[in-house]
Amino acid sequence: MNNFNFYSPTYFAFGKGRENEAGKLVKRFGGSKVLIHYGGGSIIKSGLLDRVKVSLHNEGVAYIELGGVVPNPRSGLVYEGIELCRKEQVDFVLAVGGGSAIDSAKAIAIGAPYEGDFWDFFKGKRVDKALPVGTILTLSAAGSEGSANSVITHEDGMLKRGSGSELMRPVFSILNPELTCSLPAFQTACGATDMMAHVFERYFTNTKNVEITDRLCEAVLKTVIAETPKALANPNDYEARANIMWAGMVAHNDICGVGREQDWSTHQMEHELSALYDVAHGAGLAVMFPAWMKYVMRQDVLRFAQFAVRVWGCEMDFHHPEKTALEGIHRLEHFYTSIGMPIRFSQLGAKAEDIPTLINTLRIGTGTIGFFVKLTADDVKNIYELAV
Ligand code: NZQ
Ligand code: ZN
C-alpha cells in the first residue's frame, strides 16, 4: 500500500426532509449572502427551490439565484456567476442539483476571489482561495457532492477539462434520497454507470496489497449492481435510492482510492465524447469502459479475474484465468444493457470517422494518458475502435 493523505471534511446531512436545514447549515459554515446555483428547472418544478429559499429566509440568510446550468456545464455561465458574486458580494455558493450544477458552482467559487481567468485552474494552476460551497444533491452520479473536483467545458474549442483542489470540496452536502425519485430512468442508469466507473478507475491498479480498498470498491460495485434495478423497477423505492445515493458519494470522495495508483484514462476518453456529442457522461462511460477493459486486461489478468469472481460471482477457471476475466467484462456489458445503457459508439450517436478529432482534442501528442497501462495516442485509437 502506498503512503497517502486523506482529508475529506464535508459535513453530510443525509435523509428525508434534510433540505429544510439548508439555511442552518449555510449559517453554520459562515455564509451570510448566498448564490443559489442550479440547472434547467427540475428543482423549480419539484418545489425544491422554494423550500430552499424558505429555509434560507427563516435563518435570515440573504440570497440571489442563478439557474441555467446545462449537463456538461459550460464556461459562459461560470463567468456570469463569477461577475454576479463579485457585484453582489456573495460569500457562499449553494449548488442545488446534479453534478453539473455542483461543478459549475465550484468553478464560480474558485473564480470569484481570483483576479485572473478561472480557466487557469483548469489548465493546472493551483487554487489558493475559494468561496465555500454547499450542495443539495438531486442526482446520484458524479460524486461531486463529496469530491475535490470540478469538470467544465470551455466553449472556446469545446474543451472539457477537470480541476482539483481541496478548497473545492463542499463544506456540507445535503443528501435526501427522496429528491432523486423524480429522475428519469435514463439518468438513474447513467448515475449508476458513473459511480461504477469511479470505482473502476481506482480498482484497476498496479499497486499490490491494497485489500482494504479492494473490498470497499467491491462493496460499492455490488451495492450499485443490486440496487439500481430496484430503483428502475420502482422509482419511489426509498431504500434503493438511499443505498445508491450513499454509494455514489463513497465511490468518489476517494476513500476507495487511497493507498494505490489510480488510472483515469477512461474518464479522459469519455470527456471527449461528451464534449463532442453532448452525450450524458454515464452513457459515454458505459461505451468506453468495456473497450478499455478488453484492451488492457492482459496487464493483470488475475485482477480482472478477481473482479469477475468477487463482483459478478463468476467461477474461477484456474487453467484459463483469461476466460474468467473476459466473462467479468461480458457480465458488465450485459448489466449495462439491462439498465438501458449503450455499449457501442452507434448507440451513443458517435461516429468512427470522428476518432481522429477525439484524439486531437485529447492532446496526447507523444505523451501518454492513464497509469494502469500508459496509453499512447495509438492505444487510444485502438480503444475507441473497439468501442465502435
Ligand atoms: O438541469 P435540471 O433541470 O436540474 O435537470 C437535470 C439534467 O437535465 C436532471 N436532473 C437532475 N436531478 C433531477 C433531474 N431530473 C429530474 N429529477 C431530478 N431529481 O438530470 C440531468 C443531468 O444532470 P447533470 O447534473 O448533468 O448529471 P450528473 O450528476 O450526471 O453530472 C454530470 C456532470 O458531472 C461531471 C460529468 O463530466 C458531467 O459534466 N463529473 C463530475 C465529477 C466531479 N466533479 O467530481 C466527476 C465525474 O466523473 C464527472 O466527470
Ligand atoms: Zn465520472
Side-chain angles (χ1 to χ4, degrees):
M1 197 186 291
N2 298 337
N3 289 1
F4 64 84
N5 298 314
F6 183 65
Y7 179 67
S8 180
T10 306
Y11 179 98
F12 292 100
F14 190 100
K16 295 178 183 174
R18 303 302 298 270
E19 63 276 15
N20 299 319
E21 295 169 40
K24 278 196 185 110
L25 284 168
V26 167
K27 241 167 109 176
R28 175 172 164 172
F29 287 97
S32 61
K33 183 155 188 191
V34 171
L35 174 72
I36 309 174
H37 196 44
Y38 57 92
S42 71
I43 69 156
I44 299 173
K45 210 169 126 197
S46 68
L48 175 60
L49 180 60
D50 285 339
R51 294 207 295 285
V52 171
K53 287 179 180 174
V54 168
S55 171
L56 293 172
H57 177 81
N58 288 347
E59 294 297 324
V61 176
Y63 58 81
I64 55 171
E65 61 185 273
L66 178 65
V69 182
V70 293
N72 302 314
R74 307 291 153 83
S75 52
L77 196 68
V78 174
Y79 288 115
E80 207 180 306
I82 289 170
E83 282 312 310
L84 197 58
C85 283
R86 288 179 186 157
K87 191 170 132 235
E88 298 284 339
Q89 299 190 322
V90 161
D91 59 14
F92 195 101
V93 186
L94 179 62
V96 189
S100 295
I102 299 175
D103 284 3
S104 185
K106 287 176 172 177
I108 291 170
I110 56 175
Y114 175 59
E115 281 178 8
D117 182 350
F118 91 91
W119 194 247
D120 292 345
F121 299 121
F122 290 75
K123 291 196 286 197
K125 189 178 168 60
R126 214 182 99 105
V127 178
D128 291 321
K129 215 172 165 199
L131 297 178
V133 175
T135 85
I136 302 176
L137 186 64
T138 64
L139 200 180
S140 317
S144 193
E145 67 277 15
S147 86
N149 307 88
S150 163
V151 185
I152 301 291
T153 301
H154 205 293
E155 276 133 321
D156 182 8
M158 294 309 277
L159 292 178
K160 187 170 181 179
R161 293 290 181 267
S163 174
S165 162
E166 287 303 329
L167 291 171
M168 269 194 275
R169 256 190 227 272
V171 292
F172 74 77
S173 282
I174 294 177
L175 272 53
N176 175 357
E178 289 174 319
L179 300 178
T180 66
C181 292
S182 57
L183 281 169
F186 178 73
Q187 288 298 343
T188 300
C190 284
T193 308
D194 195 14
M195 291 170 203
M196 293 173 77
H198 295 158
V199 173
F200 295 153
E201 300 283 12
R202 296 168 162 108
Y203 189 78
F204 295 103
T205 178
N206 294 306
T207 314
K208 303 291 179 205
N209 302 320
V210 278
E211 189 64 10
I212 171 70
T213 34
D214 269 6
R215 293 293 187 178
L216 285 172
C217 287
E218 288 155 7
V220 173
L221 291 172
K222 287 180 78 114
T223 302
V224 174
I225 291 162
E227 301 300 316
T228 303
K230 293 185 200 167
L232 290 174
N234 174 11
N236 292 318
D237 183 335
Y238 179 84
E239 300 302 338
R241 294 284 187 190
N243 277 288
I244 292 169
M245 195 165 218
W246 192 240
M249 204 299 294
V250 175
H252 198 43
N253 84 330
D254 214 25
I255 195 151
C256 288
V258 293
R260 55 172 69 204
E261 175 191 78
Q262 305 184 13
D263 190 74
W264 295 101
S265 62
T266 310
H267 262 72
Q268 284 179 267
M269 290 185 281
E270 191 294 318
H271 283 164
E272 299 311 326
L273 288 175
S274 43
L276 186 61
Y277 302 111
D278 206 12
V279 292
H281 173 60
L285 289 167
V287 171
M288 291 313 299
F289 248 109
W292 175 83
M293 288 178 170
K294 286 173 203 164
Y295 194 76
V296 303
M297 74 174 213
R298 273 159 209 90
Q299 169 75 5
D300 189 347
V301 169
L302 288 180
R303 177 148 282 273
F304 276 90
Q306 172 183 302
F307 166 64
V309 172
R310 291 190 187 171
V311 176
W312 297 106
C314 299
E315 207 168 308
M316 181 70 185
D317 183 337
F318 289 98
H319 298 292
H320 307 99
E322 203 166 309
K323 275 192 189 163
T324 312
L326 261 180
E327 173 67 15
I329 300 170
H330 290 147
R331 296 266 190 115
L332 174 67
E333 287 188 318
H334 179 76
F335 175 74
Y336 285 156
T337 304
S338 75
I339 60 170
M341 283 287 94
I343 54 168
R344 295 289 181 269
F345 253 46
S346 59
Q347 295 169 297
L348 200 63
K351 298 189 202 88
E353 59 261 36
D354 289 335
I355 291 175
T357 308
L358 294 167
I359 296 172
N360 193 31
T361 40
L362 248 178
R363 296 190 180 163
I364 309 176
T366 54
T368 59
I369 59 167
F371 289 94
F372 182 63
V373 173
K374 291 192 163 73
L375 304 172
T376 63
D378 274 347
D379 293 321
V380 170
K381 178 170 171 282
N382 293 337
I383 293 171
Y384 278 132
E385 281 173 359
L386 268 179
V388 173

